[in-house]
Amino acid sequence: MATSKTIRRLEVVSPVPADIDIANSTSALHISDIADELGLSADHYDLYGRHKAKVLLSVLDQFEESPDGYYVVVGGITPTPLGEGKSTTTVGLCQALGAFLDKKVVTCLRQPSQGPTFGIKGGAAGGGYSQVIPMDEFNLHLTGDIHAITAANNLLAAAIDTRIFHEASQSDKALFNRLCPANKEGKRSFANVMFRRLKKLGISKTNPDELTPEEIKRFARLDIDPDSITWRRVMDVNDRFLRKITIGQGPEEKGMTRETAFDISVASEIMAVLALTTSLADMRERLGRMVIGNSRAGEPITADDLGVGGALTVLMKDAINPTLMQTLEGTPVLVHAGPFANIAHGNSSVVADKIALKLVGKGGFVVTEAGFGADIGTEKFMNIKCRYSGLTPQCAIIVATIRALKMHGGGPEVVAGKPLDHAYLSENVGLVEAGCVNLVRHICNTRAYGVNVVVAINKFASDSEAEMNVVRNAALAAGAFDAVVCTHHTHGGKGAVDLGIAVQRACENQTQSLNFLYPLDFSIKEKIEAIAKSYGASGVEYSEQAEKQIEMYTNQGFSNLPICMAKTQYSFSHVPSQKGAPEGFVLPIRDVRASIGAGFIYPLVGTMSTMPGLPTRPCFFEIDIDIATGKVLGLS
Amino acid sequence: MATSKTIRRLEVVSPVPADIDIANSTSALHISDIADELGLSADHYDLYGRHKAKVLLSVLDQFEESPDGYYVVVGGITPTPLGEGKSTTTVGLCQALGAFLDKKVVTCLRQPSQGPTFGIKGGAAGGGYSQVIPMDEFNLHLTGDIHAITAANNLLAAAIDTRIFHEASQSDKALFNRLCPANKEGKRSFANVMFRRLKKLGISKTNPDELTPEEIKRFARLDIDPDSITWRRVMDVNDRFLRKITIGQGPEEKGMTRETAFDISVASEIMAVLALTTSLADMRERLGRMVIGNSRAGEPITADDLGVGGALTVLMKDAINPTLMQTLEGTPVLVHAGPFANIAHGNSSVVADKIALKLVGKGGFVVTEAGFGADIGTEKFMNIKCRYSGLTPQCAIIVATIRALKMHGGGPEVVAGKPLDHAYLSENVGLVEAGCVNLVRHICNTRAYGVNVVVAINKFASDSEAEMNVVRNAALAAGAFDAVVCTHHTHGGKGAVDLGIAVQRACENQTQSLNFLYPLDFSIKEKIEAIAKSYGASGVEYSEQAEKQIEMYTNQGFSNLPICMAKTQYSFSHVPSQKGAPEGFVLPIRDVRASIGAGFIYPLVGTMSTMPGLPTRPCFFEIDIDIATGKVLGLS
């Protein structure tokens, strides 16, 4: 069928073997073959070993005039703690489109965090016969983007504490003389980055010697309020003992101790910047305007005020290029960026999607996943990611499982690591019927953006035809364009052919333009309330702290940013146990924070953990190397 | 002259432009051309972009039967704080051998730490017309080896604190049940890595259910003494505020706070392991046996006791492959590992040298640099690195400058960042003559290993012929094989042709075998004293703490390891201001520590900083990206 030279047919085995065994049983193609098939010439990408390549951003200039392909986003219903197979469906759909329906297709995925691979979670390359390979390279190091983020994030952190330290011990003049030292000829000059701060201060002088003492003070003394610092250090390791620490306890730091914390690297604002940036020039600006805290006078202090925006960009200059990999069936994948889905927007990068849309061209498909349930993932995809990218999806998929719908219909609690209740393993049409309220709300919310919605029913062995019929009917009644059962986990792309056909029809029949949920010129509160309404909330309640922060960000001129809600994915509401489609609740906003460089305000609905821990028996016990073959063992 | 296809001729300009300008004015060849010229086929290496490739360790199997080339180590006299051009000489010599003397040659260099690039120090790719290019790729990220070290080091750190935490809150039985959980059929099994601990404990049972309560306790409870933990977290950033910190202050960690610190990543023992390992299997063993502290009963606790040795190896599996780059004149360079030269042995990797020796083959040259002055760098090269590798150098170079010799002869203090005293800028034969005592002692010490010594006089513009004659004569009188003036900084390889010829003769005329300074079966103190004697010390003085540690390591069975002295490089003695060739001093050993996985004991002579800081005006102010070209600006 397929005319692509890179397509591989899978020989599937039943029952489905372990993910790593499936991944290891297939030998991946050299990535240059995949690149070639995509129409990339050798100067469009840099190889990183045999199975990964970084596609250079310059491709966008070259293909500027080419038409985009269809743009498909994959969201899901409110999941159980086991996950409902969104990544797997994303990969499986692409295997179907590329390997069976003869379409040009690119899968756009997030890069997973390395730390949790050694904890409980395991990898994130899809599963069963719908995976990205090689699995170990996907989950570990990849092409170093997260390591670059760690380095950049922590350079900025070191710059903050060191600057406070140096300011504390020096007069204005001494500080200024050190910041702008005289050269051999006794002449001073500003570093280029300093003109950004001068401009912000309204000082147009270009010769340091001409600054008045007052100007010197304003320029040289950032006067950072230590209590206002929101920038934390990061590490891509599950290290719970870094959740709260005191730094600066060495004798040389002269008692300037400070309480702070480490987050896991993917929680860094720099990850969100990488995901939302549109070009090298845009990334330079975003990194420079990241706000790390306030001066004692309440002015936001940025990375460029600290003089480090350029260095951060240099550290990130290769990370901006997406990484090309492949699926089990030889279709291309772009892996790029993996921001948190609560305190950030949880979507892979804008640049990867843009490049992919050009590479597949007219009639081709780009399928991109949005983290968490559609209430969060798809909402942020539309209102944040598409707003910044200017791209418009034609189709939104909502992945549903009978298991999760039963939970929403009142089934017993589903707990990771514990055996599933009988209700989930045998037919129970009633529970499914009752649970469809969750799916229906996701469909209605998603349709409101003006896209065609296709429901993908990710079938498990125990699901019955009657149960699936209930879901199909409910979906169509709610206005879904189609609702299709798929078995890509068991069968690879072949199991998602019907889904592929439905998606193709949905894209070809899409006529509306993208409607955002709120305009940017709404106030922060109006925007929060628009999103809360989509959750089913009857209102919003703000803590004193949240009120204070909203006022501060508004005064600082940041109220025109989109909103990125930090909420649980386990319910439409803020209470994880409220399944189905809760209504009438009041959404409490505990605090409000901002990622100014990335470009959003994030209200906190509850407490979000940004540093996971390790259990007594972490995954790392199983992970080792086969000395003879060099293969990775025990990765799950 | 040269038959190599990759050789480029430099067009040198006077005065010598800035390093970055020279580096940017040359367009590097595609690294596959360099690899091809070295006799590597495409399956011998993995590309990392266009200018870097990782040479796979499997090359060693393929070339097993090939003869080695000549092995040359570059050390230096006791340096001024400005450095005397050891890296530059290493690169310049190779450019001479490859581009002018038509020899097969590989330069083996350490990977520099990224953190200091943004602080004061700048890069480490050589200088002037003797550099490794592209300079920005050499100094930043490279192929991710240091990032892998950071990840592995910190995974181990997280495993330590988490294990203590979980042990504190669980009974022996609960702990054991979590470590060896029952599967669906109710059957328990040990993870493979657990058999290492069982073996250490003398338990030969393979079924967890058969362990006695006493065995369960011994197996499951590591009982780590928090005060004994020597393993620290690392970060490749100059972050002085992490020199002393308190961790575990979050409410979920239940008051289990602990004082600890971050080192810069290259100070990690894992870096030393990478530098000294000889194969993937050997690295697995070394990583597993790294000691992180003691149990309360005084038993050493290893990474494998924590179950994480395999995972660390997986994180390091690509890092074990050296990175191929090129010099300005198109000769090949292997960059690999960069351990500290005080608390570690300061030499690039054994595997890179081994691969290089095979690739250049009979009559070819491998030139490798040893960090710090020859008292430390060359000594550790011989007694630690060559002992583990089994390799024998034919020639040792000692780099000398007129500037440093004048300092040793009684010249005024040389301070980085301050103008040089007049004595250093005009002829002063007397100072040079007096300073030669330093050079002479380095020559005598180095000759004692049984190698031919060639002195490389790294000429500066202000050095006079009379001054250089003094050095030549003193060197030859002290038994140097030759002493040669070189001007590679100004002229590239052409300026080191005489040095190249001398090195070739020295290698061809080498007949002795390698004599170590001490046998491994000496006691720890005997070994320390042998090294101290080579410094000119009349004796050694041990602190109470040092005595205690020596006794502990001896009792733990580690006394047969080589010694890695952590001493200043600015004097033969422990006092940096004692220039020349001090004698009769007593060397004080403040403390004694060990890197058991890497394989050495390191006595501390004074305090070693393992985390640099940032000045008020760090290098990062100048570093930015040219948005139009993507080029890095301001890197020095």
Side-chain angles (χ1 to χ4, degrees), chain B residues 77-86 89 399-404 458 460:
Chain B
I77 62 169
T78 305
T80 71
L82 310 176
E84 310 316 311
K86 221 162 54 222
T89 304
V399 177
T401 59
I402 299 298
R403 175 175 73 193
N458 183 15
F460 293 2

Side-chain angles (χ1 to χ4, degrees), chain A residues 46 50 179 239 246 617, chain B residues 46 50 179 233 249 617:
Chain A
D46 282 342
R50 289 148 203 214
L179 284 170
D239 193 347
T246 299
R617 163 73 187 259
Chain B
D46 281 343
R50 289 147 205 216
L179 284 170
R233 288 166 177 82
Q249 296 180 316
R617 162 75 187 258

Side-chain angles (χ1 to χ4, degrees), chain A residues 257-280:
Chain A
T257 61
R258 188 166 76 80
E259 261 189 14
T260 181
F262 273 76
D263 294 327
I264 195 153
S265 296
V266 292
S268 170
E269 180 174 345
I270 297 179
M271 177 58 98
V273 167
L274 179 67
L276 288 172
T277 194
T278 51
S279 68
L280 192 59

Side-chain angles (χ1 to χ4, degrees), chain B residues 424-447:
Chain B
Y424 296 103
L425 302 170
S426 57
E427 186 177 275
N428 190 328
V429 176
L431 280 182
V432 176
E433 238 160 8
C436 279
V437 290
N438 184 272
L439 172 62
V440 166
R441 185 180 286 168
H442 284 296
I443 293 171
C444 296
N445 282 355
T446 306
R447 279 191 69 204

Side-chain angles (χ1 to χ4, degrees), chain B residues 387-399:
Chain B
R387 184 131 33 190
Y388 280 118
S389 71
L391 298 172
T392 301
Q394 285 74 41
C395 171
I397 293 174
I398 299 178
V399 177

Side-chain angles (χ1 to χ4, degrees), chain A residues 394-396 398 436 439-455 471-483 506 509 512:
Chain A
Q394 284 76 41
C395 170
I398 299 178
C436 279
L439 172 63
V440 166
R441 185 180 289 169
H442 285 296
I443 293 171
C444 295
N445 282 355
T446 306
R447 280 190 69 205
Y449 295 106
V451 294
N452 283 330
V453 173
V454 173
V455 174
V471 182
R472 267 200 298 261
N473 293 337
L476 294 173
F481 183 87
D482 206 344
N509 288 287
Q512 290 181 264

Side-chain angles (χ1 to χ4, degrees), chain B residues 70-328:
Chain B
Y70 293 120
Y71 193 29
V72 180
V73 61
V74 179
I77 62 169
T78 305
T80 71
L82 310 176
E84 310 316 311
K86 221 162 54 222
S87 304
T88 308
T89 304
T90 305
V91 175
L93 167 60
C94 292
Q95 291 183 180
L97 287 165
F100 290 88
L101 298 170
D102 208 12
K103 301 292 174 196
K104 271 205 133 180
V105 63
V106 173
T107 315
C108 289
L109 289 181
R110 289 167 294 166
Q111 181 187 356
S113 181
Q114 183 171 280
T117 307
F118 297 96
I120 307 175
K121 187 184 144 288
Y129 286 103
S130 295
Q131 290 190 60
V132 183
I133 55 171
M135 176 193 177
D136 58 329
E137 299 191 27
F138 180 84
N139 285 305
L140 304 175
H141 303 308
L142 197 71
T143 48
D145 296 352
I146 295 181
H147 295 323
I149 289 169
T150 305
N153 183 99
N154 293 343
L155 177 60
L156 177 51
I160 296 167
D161 283 301
T162 312
R163 181 66 175 252
I164 295 175
F165 178 78
H166 288 305
E167 286 193 21
S169 61
Q170 296 179 54
S171 68
D172 294 348
K173 193 156 185 297
L175 190 59
F176 183 67
N177 288 348
R178 283 219 173 76
L179 284 170
C180 299
N183 65 10
K184 280 182 197 161
E185 290 80 43
K187 226 179 108 50
R188 292 180 196 289
S189 60
F190 289 117
N192 263 331
V193 70
M194 292 176 175
F195 289 109
R196 293 171 180 251
R197 177 159 176 80
L198 289 166
K199 190 177 172 195
K200 173 174 163 179
L201 298 174
I203 302 172
S204 57
K205 298 173 182 172
T206 56
N207 181 351
D209 291 329
E210 289 174 6
L211 262 58
T212 67
E214 176 58 26
E215 286 170 338
I216 284 177
K217 186 193 183 77
R218 289 175 62 219
F219 170 77
R221 203 164 282 286
L222 303 184
D223 199 28
I224 296 167
D225 175 3
D227 293 333
S228 78
I229 298 173
T230 49
W231 197 262
R232 317 213 289 188
R233 288 166 177 82
V234 300
M235 184 187 279
D236 195 6
V237 175
N238 287 18
D239 193 346
R240 57 184 292 167
F241 276 75
L242 298 181
R243 283 176 188 159
K244 192 167 171 192
I245 64 172
T246 298
I247 61 169
Q249 296 180 316
E252 291 149 325
E253 282 63 52
K254 302 175 185 169
M256 288 187 56
T257 61
R258 189 167 74 81
E259 260 190 13
T260 181
F262 272 77
D263 294 327
I264 194 153
S265 297
V266 292
S268 169
E269 180 175 347
I270 297 178
M271 176 58 97
V273 167
L274 180 66
L276 288 172
T277 193
T278 50
S279 68
L280 193 60
D282 174 74
M283 184 168 77
R284 170 67 188 87
E285 295 308 312
R286 286 179 189 261
L287 292 174
R289 68 174 178 251
M290 294 189 302
V291 171
I292 58 90
N294 293 333
S295 70
R296 287 181 207 270
E299 292 293 323
I301 301 295
T302 66
D304 273 338
D305 284 326
L306 286 154
V308 74
L312 302 183
T313 311
V314 166
L315 282 168
M316 292 292 295
K317 80 179 174 62
D318 297 322
I320 201 173
N321 302 313
T323 299
L324 182 66
M325 293 189 73
Q326 63 192 292
T327 66
L328 281 172

Side-chain angles (χ1 to χ4, degrees), chain A residues 110 339-347 371-372 376 380 564-567:
Chain A
R110 289 168 293 167
F340 260 44
N342 44 43
I343 62 158
H345 66 294
N347 279 259
F372 280 14
I376 300 175
K380 294 177 182 178
C564 182
M565 211 69 108
K567 179 184 77 74

